[in-house]
Amino acid sequence: MSINAKEIIARRIAKELKDGDVVNLGIGLPTMVANFLPKGVQVVLQSENGFVGLGNTPDKGLEDVDVVNAGAQFVTINDGAAYFDSAMSFGIIRGGHVDVTVLGALEVDENGSLANYMIPGKMIPGMGGAMDLVSGAKKVIIGMIHSAKGNPKILKECTLPLTAVCGVDLIVTEMAVIEVTENGLVLKELAPGININDILRETDAHLTIDDNLKTMDIL
Amino acid sequence: MSINAKEIIARRIAKELKDGDVVNLGIGLPTMVANFLPKGVQVVLQSENGFVGLGNTPDKGLEDVDVVNAGAQFVTINDGAAYFDSAMSFGIIRGGHVDVTVLGALEVDENGSLANYMIPGKMIPGMGGAMDLVSGAKKVIIGMIHSAKGNPKILKECTLPLTAVCGVDLIVTEMAVIEVTENGLVLKELAPGININDILRETDAHLTIDDNLKTMDIL
Amino acid sequence: MNKIISIDDVMEHIHDGMTIMVGGFMGVGTPEIFINAILDKGIKDLTIIANDTGLPDRGIGRLVVEKRLKKVIASHIGLNPETGKQMNDKVLEVELVPQGTLAERIRCGGHGLGGVLTPTGIGTLVEENKEKIVVNGIAYLLELPLRAELALIRGSIVDKVGNVFYNASTRNFNPLMAMAADKVIVGAQRIVEVKEIDPNNVMTPGILVDYIVGGEKP
Amino acid sequence: MNKIISIDDVMEHIHDGMTIMVGGFMGVGTPEIFINAILDKGIKDLTIIANDTGLPDRGIGRLVVEKRLKKVIASHIGLNPETGKQMNDKVLEVELVPQGTLAERIRCGGHGLGGVLTPTGIGTLVEENKEKIVVNGIAYLLELPLRAELALIRGSIVDKVGNVFYNASTRNFNPLMAMAADKVIVGAQRIVEVKEIDPNNVMTPGILVDYIVGGEKP
C-alpha cells in the first residue's frame, strides 16, 4: 500500500471527471483525486459539512478556523463558492445534484453493493455522509487498494454491514478498473505491468473480461 | 358589518396578546389587531410569505417593491427582522414557533373546527397558509362578525369544507368572546349592550354560559 | 461554461405542454421577463406549479388571463378572480395545496426525499386519495414530492456562475424550486462578477442554475 | 426581554440526564463555552444529539472522554476513538444515523413534520425497526423526528434579540437544531446591536433563541 498505489488510483479516477462536474471526494485517498485533474477540466467540489467550491489547503499561518472540510482539516474556498446548512448540503447530495462521488471501501461486491463504515466489534467510525452520497450521487466511484494484503475486497457478496445496496458504478484500484453492470462486474482496464491472473488471484468476485480490455491511463 | 364592529373585534383580540408573542395575523380584519396592542405589549409579527418583524404600512413614495405582506401589500420591517424562504416560514408556523394566529372564518363549530377557504361552486380563494397556521400555531383565535346578516356562523357542525378539525381556541366577535373547551363552546364575555338572548338568536351552536360571565373590554 | 443567455435563447427551453415551476408570491419574486416571453411566443397548455396565480396583471395571473394554462398546482388563487372563473368553467384544472405542504412537496422533489408527513389538512378535502400514517398516536398525511421539467426563478443579484441572492420577501419559493426541476433558469435583476456575493449570503448555489437572463425590473 | 445572560445563569437550564442537541461538525461550530461549563459543573448522564462526537480534545469529544454521556445519536464517531471504545465496553449507547437523515430528522422535529421518506439506508442496518414505504415503485425508509429539551448552538455574530449569523462552515447543524428544542441557547462569538445584521443574512431568527451568552472564541 505504497504512496504510488494510491497515486495510481487517484490519477485514474481524475480522468473520469468532466469539466463542470459537481464532485464530492471522500476523506483520505479520494481527496487526492483533486490533485490530478486533466488539463482544461475544472470541477466544483462539494464538502458535505456545508459548501460548494472547496479549494486547496491553505498556506501555513493563513488558516481560517471557520473553513474546514468534512475531515475537519483546514481548507480554502474558490471564487464562486457558497455555504449552506447540513439539510441543504444533503438535499444537494440526495437530490442528485452531485455528479460524481469518490469513496473508499472495505468491500465491494458483484451487485455494486458497498461496505465502508464499520467492522462490528472492532472499528465503528459510523457512516457519516457515505450512505447519502451513494444513494444520491449520479455516479459512484470506489477508489481503493485492490486487496487487503492479498485478501480480496472485491467479493461475490459483501460480508460486512452494507453502506448501500447496488450503489457503485465503477471500481478503480491500483491494479484495475472494473465497471459494475447489470450483468455483474466487467474488467475494463489493467494497470501497466499487471496481467489478468494477478487480478483473478486477488479478486473473489466473478469478473467478465471486456472484449476491449485496455491498459489504465495513469499519466 | 360596520367599521365599528370590526374595531371592537380587533381591540378585544389585541388584549389576548402578550409581550414578546410571535403572532401571525390573517389578511383583512385580523391585520387590524396590530393597531390596538395594549401599552407595553410588543409582539413580533410573522408574515408567511417569508419574514418576522412585520412593521407598519410605508409612507407614500417610500414603498420598497421587494417588501410586501402575504396579501401583496407594501409593508415595512422593524428593527430585528429576518427574512427566510417559504419552507422555513412554514417550518416556523407548523413547528409551533408561532404563539398566536388570528384568522377570519366563514364558519366555526362546537368542536373548534373551522371553515374559511372555500364556498364550493362559488368562491374558491384557496387555503393559502391557513391550514398550516391552524395546525401549527399554539393558540388560534378566530376574529369574525358574529353572524352573516343574522344567519349563524357559529354552528353545531360546519357545513362548508373544513380548513381544520378542532383547531380553534377562541372566537371573538363584535358581540361575544367564546372559548372552545373540551366540553364545547363556553360564552365568556358579552359586548357592552349585548345580552345573552341576542347571542343565542345569532348562534346555532350550543353555548355554555360561563359562571363568571364578563363584559368585553374593548377600550 | 457561459450561463448568461438571451431571452430568445431561453425560449428554446420552453415548449407547449410543459410542467414549469415559477417562483414568487403574489407576483413578488416572480420572473416577469419569462412571463412576457411565454406570452409573446404563444406558448400554451402549460402546467404551472406556484404559490398562487398572482394578480390579473401581474405574474402568473397574466398567463391565466391569456388562457395559456392547462393546470395549476397552487395554494391560493383568490387575488386573481379569472383563475376561479376558469376553474368553475372547467377549462382550467386547479389543484389546491396548503402553502406549507406545497413548500415541503417541492423541497422533497429537490432533495431526493420520497415524501413527508404533515399534520396539515387532516380531516379536510386535502386528505382525499392520500395515505394517512399514524406516528406516536398522531395522524399525518403522506405528501408526495413535486418536480418540474423547468423552474423559472427570479434573483435580485446573480453572479456569473449562477449564485443567487434573493432580496427581502422576493425569496419565498424561489430557492426551493431551484432544486426541484430538470432545468433551472434565473431571471436576474442584476448580474455581477463572481466574488461579488459573499459565499455566506448565496441562497441558491450556482451549481443548481443552468442559465441566467438579465433584465428583470425591480 | 433581555436575552443576554451569564454562563452561570445558563447552568440553571442544564441538568443531569437531559437530552441536548449540540451544533457543530467535528467541533467546528460547536459552542465550546457550554462544553466547558458542563464539565466544570459536573453535569452527567446526558443524551447528546449531534453530527459527531468531535475530537478527544474538542467539542463533544471532551464530554465523552470525561464520561458525561449516557447516549449519543450521531452520524460519525471515527475521529474520537474514545466513543467507539465506550460503545464496545457498553458504557455508552450509540445510535448511528446517516448524516443526511440526521439533518432531516432534526428538521422534522423543528418544523412540525411527522417524518420523512428517504432512500438512504435501504438494505442496510439502518432500516432495522423502521417502516418501509413504497412510493412510485421505489422503497423509502420512514424516518421519525428528533427533538431535544435543549439546543446549544454557536453563532458567529448574534444581535441582542437573538438573530444569528453563522460564518462559513460553522453553520452545519446549528440552524436546524435551533428549531428543534424546547429551549435554545446560543454561544456568541460576537454580540452586536439590533440592525447590525442585515435581515437578509439572518440564518436563525431571534424568535427561536431564548438566551445568548457571549465569549465564544474564534
Side-chain angles (χ1 to χ4, degrees), chain B residues 109-132:
Chain B
D109 72 21
E110 291 182 1
N111 300 313
S113 294
L114 160 75
N116 77 349
Y117 84 99
M118 71 183 288
I119 304 174
K122 216 171 143 189
M123 182 198 74
I124 310 179
M127 67 292 280
M131 286 191 179
D132 296 285

Side-chain angles (χ1 to χ4, degrees), chain A residues 66 68 86 90 124-125 128 132 135, chain D residues 75 77-78 99-100 120 167 169 172:
Chain A
D66 287 352
V68 300
S86 294
F90 282 87
I124 311 179
D132 297 283
S135 85
Chain D
S75 79
I77 59 173
Q99 201 166 119
T120 303
N167 185 50
S169 60
N172 53 70

Side-chain angles (χ1 to χ4, degrees), chain A:
Chain A
M1 196 163 148
S2 65
I3 293 290
N4 206 33
K6 288 187 181 177
E7 191 174 314
I8 289 171
I9 298 167
R11 282 181 179 275
R12 178 58 189 83
I13 291 174
K15 294 185 200 304
E16 293 293 313
L17 306 183
K18 291 188 288 293
D19 194 40
D21 274 353
V22 178
V23 179
N24 184 298
L25 301 175
I27 301 302
L29 190 159
T31 301
M32 293 169 60
V33 171
N35 302 331
F36 302 109
L37 289 176
K39 230 184 165 132
V41 172
Q42 280 196 308
V43 302
V44 179
L45 295 179
Q46 202 257 9
S47 192
E48 70 258 33
N49 56 321
F51 55 104
V52 283
L54 178 68
N56 297 323
T57 303
D59 291 335
K60 267 261 187 268
L62 294 180
E63 298 90 351
D64 179 339
V65 293
D66 287 352
V67 185
V68 300
N69 66 13
Q73 296 158 316
F74 293 122
V75 292
T76 57
I77 57 164
N78 293 329
D79 294 351
Y83 293 108
F84 32 74
D85 69 23
S86 294
M88 175 72 171
S89 184
F90 282 87
I92 288 171
I93 289 169
R94 211 190 303 98
H97 309 286
V98 169
D99 296 300
V100 182
T101 187
V102 182
L103 294 167
L106 298 166
E107 298 176 348
V108 191
D109 71 20
E110 291 182 359
N111 301 313
S113 295
L114 161 74
N116 75 351
Y117 83 101
M118 70 183 290
I119 304 175
K122 215 171 143 189
M123 183 198 74
I124 311 179
M127 67 291 281
M131 285 189 179
D132 297 283
L133 279 161
V134 178
S135 85
K138 284 185 204 148
K139 182 169 185 174
V140 176
I141 301 176
I142 299 301
M144 64 174 191
I145 299 298
H146 197 94
S147 66
K149 295 172 184 162
N151 292 319
K153 293 161 67 180
I154 303 172
L155 308 174
K156 289 194 174 60
E157 194 167 358
C158 290
T159 63
L160 293 170
L162 293 181
T163 301
V165 177
C166 303
V168 175
D169 296 292
L170 195 71
I171 306 164
V172 178
T173 76
E174 79 284 13
M175 300 175 76
V177 176
I178 296 168
E179 197 179 312
V180 182
T181 74
E182 283 183 6
N183 303 313
L185 303 182
V186 177
L187 180 65
K188 305 281 287 188
E189 301 176 18
L190 292 174
I194 300 289
N195 64 44
I196 291 180
N197 283 335
D198 296 330
I199 300 291
L200 296 180
R201 195 167 46 239
E202 299 198 18
T203 306
D204 176 56
H206 176 76
L207 294 180
T208 304
I209 317 296
D210 193 66
D211 290 344
N212 192 17
L213 187 66
K214 288 181 183 160
T215 300
M216 263 167 84
D217 177 4
I218 51 170
L219 292 183

Side-chain angles (χ1 to χ4, degrees), chain D residues 80-110:
Chain D
N80 184 356
E82 182 64 18
T83 310
K85 189 179 166 304
Q86 290 183 22
M87 182 183 174
N88 285 337
D89 292 349
K90 300 208 190 307
V91 296
L92 176 64
E93 186 186 347
V94 177
E95 180 182 338
L96 287 173
V97 181
Q99 201 166 119
T101 300
L102 185 64
E104 287 301 314
R105 291 181 64 189
I106 294 168
R107 184 176 181 276
C108 282

Side-chain angles (χ1 to χ4, degrees), chain B residues 43-56:
Chain B
V43 301
V44 179
L45 295 179
Q46 203 257 8
S47 192
E48 71 257 33
N49 56 323
F51 55 103
V52 284
L54 178 68
N56 297 322

